[in-house]
Amino acid sequence: MSSQNPLLEAVVIGSGFGGAIACCRLAQKWKDRVLLLERGKRYPMGSFPRSPHQMAANFWNLPDEKANRPKHIRKRTLRGMFDVRNYTRMDAVVCAGLGGGSLIYANVFLEPPEQVFERGWPKGLNKTVLQPYYQVARSVLGARPIPAWNDDPRRRIIRTELFRDFAESQQRESKLADICVFFGNDFAKPTPIGIQERNRYGAVQTSCVYCGECDVGCNTHSKNTLDLNYLYVAEHVHNAQIQTDCLAEKIVPLNEHGEEDTSADGIHGYRVYYRHLDNGPAHVDTRRVVVSAGTLGTNELLLRCRDVYGTLPRLSQRLGHRFSGNGDFLSFVVEGKKPADPNYGPVITQYTDFNLFQQHDPDRAFILEDASYPAFVAWFVEGLQPSLNPLGMLKKAWRVLKTVWNYLLRNLFSGKWSGSVGEVFYQLLRGDVSNRSSVLLCMGLDKGDGVLTLKDGSLDLDWPQETSMPLYHAILNCGEKFKNFVRSWLFIPLPTWNWPLRNNITVHPLGGCILADSPEEGVVSADERTRGQVFGYQGLYIADGSVLPSAVGANPVATISAVSEWIAQGITDNPELPTDDLSQTIP
């Protein structure tokens, strides 16, 4: 797209929760004068990778980015979903694709307690202010608990009951989580499992098939991902332009003559340079830019614009500060005595409060959520058993041999063979590790004191892990209690936690471009009149997880969405609160 064309009204960079909401709301006002750029590709129904060969290449890496990614992919050109970043004491996993993180997140929509907004948030932005925006985002994303299983035993999820029983044993409460999963358009009368219908925005979805594959891309489109609501309406109703496979690389302000001018403040618009990964470099001119590339992408783009290209020199010196991993902590309890069946149902179904909502403890506040993983991963785990648990495999081999011997004695010498294949398979597969193992997903209030910078031209993170150790110790203590509850012999913290690595892994990176009352405190404005606008510039906004000033303890999607709705209302100067009728036009 050439700068010879008239100015667009807005360019949105990124299609995660912030970008999708911005694109839709701005398109409600400016229609086809809104352009969204997404580095990843579209994923139609049934297109997510599943074979070993496909999954091995389902990562994101462009060699010229020189990002801190795993060594085995750094030199390869890969345009898959999973963008894995390796930093000192903290690794991160984010997503590339139309819909951003919604393609791989665990669906939970959970509002944090009021105390979260006392952790360095601007004084005028709190839970009360954001409440109507939480409500509209909840409605658009179709958040609801799993349906009752009284009338359909296929809807029973064993691990939900297991985690509920554990909560009761700890004198705590397990609650069903509101999840953004499609069970049909009528919450009171769920559509039968596996039946397809159009959602209220016109996109075809399948009533959840309980396959446990939410985190690797839902091939039945049973997740309410952003390409099936906000982005779907933006493109199909309001004619927003959506270009995938386009990586934004530089933002330059323009002067009154439409020329690039790094001393300008954006009042005359911006030129956005991007690379179409198939067709080469391009640029476009626009009145406004909304940067929604996710916490890592947004910080990296803006740090380069300020410190490498020199195109946005007015950006606050607080850029990159107050990074948080949202207290993410993944662990496993292996081979308990109680069935868990972690390969069935939506990835998360419940949460148990550990001092986040009740008896709030800011140093040790977290929630415990059940988690599932796909059945094909369970087969992979079983395939590893000979190397991981040789004694267990010897026991299985002995059971199989004994079964075959008994059949030989009973049937072969009598001249009959009744067929023992079924029994052999039963002895081989019964007692599989997965069915009695549990995945524990915790997140909580880490200190949010990390700093993102550029090192040798690429994003780097300094994560002072020690300051958040009281939280991590509380989570580890919870895991040990869960191990004892299910009578397991092994509790495994996340694989990178053990010495000498001692690395956290986050799938919810936050901060670095935080909302604040002044540029001395943050990067974007929390003022009612300039919501989400970057200090020092007009018409340059940020709307994604990077603007959150702290960990939220709960899954952050709800808060990112609410804040993004609040910012979008300010950009469009809409006097009315947003509604879930996305087809409406904003005057």
Coordinates of all heavy atoms in Angstrom, one line a residue, residues 546-587:
S546 N 0.5 -5.0 27.4 CA 1.6 -4.2 27.9 C 1.2 -3.0 28.7 O 2.1 -2.4 29.4 CB 2.5 -3.8 26.6 OG 1.8 -2.8 25.9
V547 N 0.0 -2.6 28.6 CA -0.4 -1.4 29.3 C -0.8 -1.7 30.8 O -1.0 -0.7 31.6 CB -1.6 -0.6 28.6 CG1 -1.2 -0.3 27.2 CG2 -2.9 -1.4 28.6
L548 N -1.0 -2.9 31.1 CA -1.4 -3.3 32.5 C -0.3 -3.0 33.5 O 0.9 -3.5 33.3 CB -1.8 -4.7 32.6 CG -3.3 -5.0 32.3 CD1 -3.7 -4.6 31.0 CD2 -3.6 -6.5 32.5
P549 N -0.5 -2.2 34.5 CA 0.6 -1.8 35.4 C 1.0 -2.8 36.4 O 2.0 -2.6 37.1 CB 0.0 -0.6 36.1 CG -1.2 -0.1 35.3 CD -1.7 -1.4 34.7
S550 N 0.3 -4.0 36.4 CA 0.7 -5.0 37.4 C 0.2 -6.3 37.0 O -0.6 -6.4 36.1 CB 0.2 -4.6 38.8 OG -1.2 -4.9 38.8
A551 N 0.7 -7.4 37.7 CA 0.0 -8.7 37.5 C -1.4 -8.5 38.0 O -1.7 -7.7 38.9 CB 0.8 -9.7 38.4
V552 N -2.3 -9.4 37.4 CA -3.7 -9.3 37.9 C -4.1 -10.6 38.7 O -5.2 -10.7 39.2 CB -4.7 -9.1 36.7 CG1 -4.5 -7.7 36.1 CG2 -4.5 -10.2 35.6
G553 N -3.1 -11.6 38.7 CA -3.4 -12.8 39.5 C -4.3 -13.7 38.8 O -4.0 -14.9 38.7
A554 N -5.4 -13.3 38.3 CA -6.3 -14.1 37.5 C -5.8 -14.1 36.0 O -4.9 -13.4 35.7 CB -7.7 -13.5 37.6
N555 N -6.4 -15.0 35.2 CA -6.1 -15.0 33.8 C -6.4 -13.5 33.3 O -7.4 -13.0 33.5 CB -7.0 -15.9 33.0 CG -6.9 -17.3 33.6 OD1 -7.4 -17.6 34.7 ND2 -6.4 -18.3 32.9
P556 N -5.4 -12.9 32.6 CA -5.5 -11.5 32.3 C -6.4 -11.1 31.1 O -6.6 -9.9 30.9 CB -4.0 -11.1 32.0 CG -3.4 -12.4 31.5 CD -4.1 -13.5 32.2
V557 N -6.9 -12.1 30.4 CA -7.7 -11.8 29.2 C -8.9 -10.8 29.5 O -9.1 -9.9 28.7 CB -8.2 -13.1 28.5 CG1 -9.4 -12.8 27.6 CG2 -7.1 -13.8 27.8
A558 N -9.5 -11.1 30.6 CA -10.7 -10.2 30.9 C -10.3 -8.8 31.1 O -10.9 -7.8 30.6 CB -11.4 -10.7 32.2
T559 N -9.2 -8.6 31.8 CA -8.7 -7.2 32.1 C -8.1 -6.5 30.8 O -8.4 -5.3 30.6 CB -7.7 -7.2 33.2 OG1 -8.3 -7.8 34.4 CG2 -7.3 -5.8 33.6
I560 N -7.4 -7.3 30.1 CA -6.9 -6.7 28.8 C -8.1 -6.3 27.9 O -8.1 -5.2 27.3 CB -6.0 -7.8 28.0 CG1 -4.7 -8.0 28.8 CG2 -5.7 -7.3 26.6 CD1 -3.9 -9.2 28.3
S561 N -9.1 -7.1 27.8 CA -10.2 -6.8 27.0 C -11.0 -5.6 27.5 O -11.4 -4.7 26.7 CB -11.2 -8.0 26.9 OG -10.5 -9.2 26.4
A562 N -11.2 -5.6 28.8 CA -11.9 -4.4 29.4 C -11.2 -3.1 29.2 O -11.8 -2.1 28.8 CB -12.2 -4.7 30.9
V563 N -9.9 -3.1 29.4 CA -9.1 -1.9 29.2 C -9.1 -1.5 27.8 O -9.2 -0.3 27.4 CB -7.6 -2.1 29.7 CG1 -6.7 -1.0 29.3 CG2 -7.6 -2.2 31.3
S564 N -9.0 -2.5 26.9 CA -9.0 -2.2 25.4 C -10.4 -1.6 25.0 O -10.4 -0.7 24.1 CB -8.7 -3.5 24.6 OG -7.4 -3.9 25.0
E565 N -11.5 -2.1 25.5 CA -12.8 -1.5 25.2 C -12.8 -0.1 25.7 O -13.3 0.8 25.0 CB -13.9 -2.4 25.9 CG -14.2 -3.7 25.2 CD -15.1 -3.5 24.0 OE1 -15.3 -2.4 23.6 OE2 -15.7 -4.6 23.5
W566 N -12.3 0.1 26.9 CA -12.2 1.5 27.5 C -11.4 2.4 26.6 O -11.8 3.6 26.3 CB -11.7 1.4 28.9 CG -11.5 2.7 29.6 CD1 -12.4 3.5 30.2 CD2 -10.2 3.4 29.9 NE1 -11.8 4.6 30.8 CE2 -10.5 4.5 30.6 CE3 -8.9 3.1 29.5 CZ2 -9.5 5.4 31.0 CZ3 -7.9 3.9 29.9 CH2 -8.2 5.1 30.7
I567 N -10.3 2.0 26.1 CA -9.4 2.8 25.2 C -10.1 3.0 23.9 O -10.1 4.2 23.4 CB -8.0 2.1 25.1 CG1 -7.2 2.1 26.4 CG2 -7.3 2.8 23.9 CD1 -6.0 1.3 26.3
A568 N -10.7 2.0 23.3 CA -11.3 2.2 22.0 C -12.5 3.1 22.1 O -12.7 3.9 21.1 CB -11.8 0.8 21.5
Q569 N -13.2 3.2 23.2 CA -14.3 4.1 23.3 C -13.7 5.6 23.3 O -14.3 6.5 22.7 CB -15.1 3.9 24.6 CG -16.3 4.8 24.7 CD -16.9 4.8 26.1 OE1 -16.3 4.4 27.1 NE2 -18.2 5.3 26.2
G570 N -12.6 5.7 23.9 CA -11.9 7.1 23.9 C -11.4 7.4 22.5 O -11.6 8.6 22.0
I571 N -10.9 6.5 21.8 CA -10.3 6.8 20.4 C -11.5 7.2 19.5 O -11.3 8.2 18.7 CB -9.6 5.6 19.8 CG1 -8.4 5.2 20.7 CG2 -9.2 5.9 18.4 CD1 -7.7 4.0 20.3
T572 N -12.6 6.5 19.6 CA -13.7 6.8 18.7 C -14.6 7.9 19.2 O -15.6 8.3 18.5 CB -14.6 5.5 18.5 OG1 -15.1 5.1 19.8 CG2 -13.8 4.4 17.8
D573 N -14.3 8.4 20.4 CA -15.1 9.5 21.0 C -16.6 9.2 21.0 O -17.4 10.0 20.7 CB -14.9 10.8 20.1 CG -15.3 12.1 20.9 OD1 -15.3 12.0 22.2 OD2 -15.6 13.1 20.3
N574 N -16.8 7.9 21.4 CA -18.2 7.4 21.5 C -18.8 7.8 22.8 O -18.3 7.4 23.9 CB -18.2 5.9 21.3 CG -19.6 5.3 21.3 OD1 -20.6 6.0 21.3 ND2 -19.7 4.0 21.3
P575 N -19.9 8.6 22.8 CA -20.5 9.1 24.1 C -21.2 8.0 24.8 O -21.5 8.1 26.0 CB -21.4 10.2 23.7 CG -21.8 9.8 22.2 CD -20.6 9.2 21.7
E576 N -21.5 6.9 24.1 CA -22.2 5.8 24.7 C -21.3 4.6 25.0 O -20.3 4.4 24.4 CB -23.3 5.2 23.7 CG -24.3 6.3 23.2 CD -25.2 6.8 24.3 OE1 -25.4 6.0 25.3 OE2 -25.6 8.0 24.2
L577 N -21.6 3.9 26.1 CA -20.9 2.7 26.4 C -21.0 1.7 25.3 O -22.0 1.6 24.6 CB -21.4 2.1 27.7 CG -21.0 2.8 29.0 CD1 -21.8 2.2 30.2 CD2 -19.5 2.8 29.3
P578 N -19.9 0.9 25.0 CA -20.0 -0.1 24.0 C -21.0 -1.2 24.3 O -21.2 -1.4 25.5 CB -18.6 -0.6 23.9 CG -18.0 -0.3 25.2 CD -18.6 0.9 25.7
T579 N -21.5 -1.8 23.3 CA -22.5 -2.9 23.5 C -22.0 -4.2 22.8 O -21.0 -4.1 22.0 CB -23.9 -2.6 23.0 OG1 -23.9 -2.6 21.6 CG2 -24.3 -1.2 23.5
D580 N -22.7 -5.3 23.0 CA -22.3 -6.5 22.4 C -22.9 -6.6 21.0 O -22.6 -7.6 20.3 CB -22.6 -7.7 23.2 CG -24.1 -7.8 23.5 OD1 -24.9 -7.0 23.0 OD2 -24.5 -8.8 24.2
D581 N -23.6 -5.6 20.5 CA -24.1 -5.6 19.2 C -23.0 -4.9 18.3 O -23.0 -3.7 18.1 CB -25.4 -4.8 19.1 CG -26.0 -4.8 17.7 OD1 -25.3 -5.4 16.7 OD2 -27.1 -4.2 17.4
L582 N -22.1 -5.8 17.8 CA -21.0 -5.3 17.0 C -21.3 -4.7 15.7 O -20.5 -4.1 15.0 CB -19.9 -6.4 16.9 CG -19.4 -7.0 18.2 CD1 -18.4 -8.1 17.9 CD2 -18.9 -5.9 19.2
S583 N -22.5 -5.0 15.2 CA -22.9 -4.5 13.9 C -23.3 -3.1 13.9 O -23.4 -2.4 12.8 CB -24.1 -5.4 13.3 OG -25.3 -5.1 14.2
Q584 N -23.5 -2.5 15.0 CA -23.9 -1.1 15.1 C -22.8 -0.2 14.6 O -21.6 -0.5 14.6 CB -24.2 -0.7 16.5 CG -25.5 -1.3 17.1 CD -25.7 -0.8 18.5 OE1 -24.8 -0.3 19.2 NE2 -26.9 -1.0 19.0
T585 N -23.2 1.0 14.1 CA -22.2 2.0 13.6 C -22.0 3.0 14.7 O -23.0 3.5 15.3 CB -22.7 2.7 12.3 OG1 -22.8 1.7 11.3 CG2 -21.8 3.8 11.9
I586 N -20.8 3.5 14.9 CA -20.5 4.5 15.9 C -20.5 5.9 15.1 O -19.7 6.0 14.1 CB -19.2 4.3 16.6 CG1 -19.2 3.0 17.4 CG2 -18.8 5.5 17.5 CD1 -17.9 2.7 18.0
P587 N -21.3 6.8 15.5 CA -21.4 8.1 14.7 C -20.1 8.9 14.9 O -19.4 8.8 15.8 CB -22.6 8.8 15.3 CG -22.8 8.2 16.7 CD -22.3 6.8 16.6

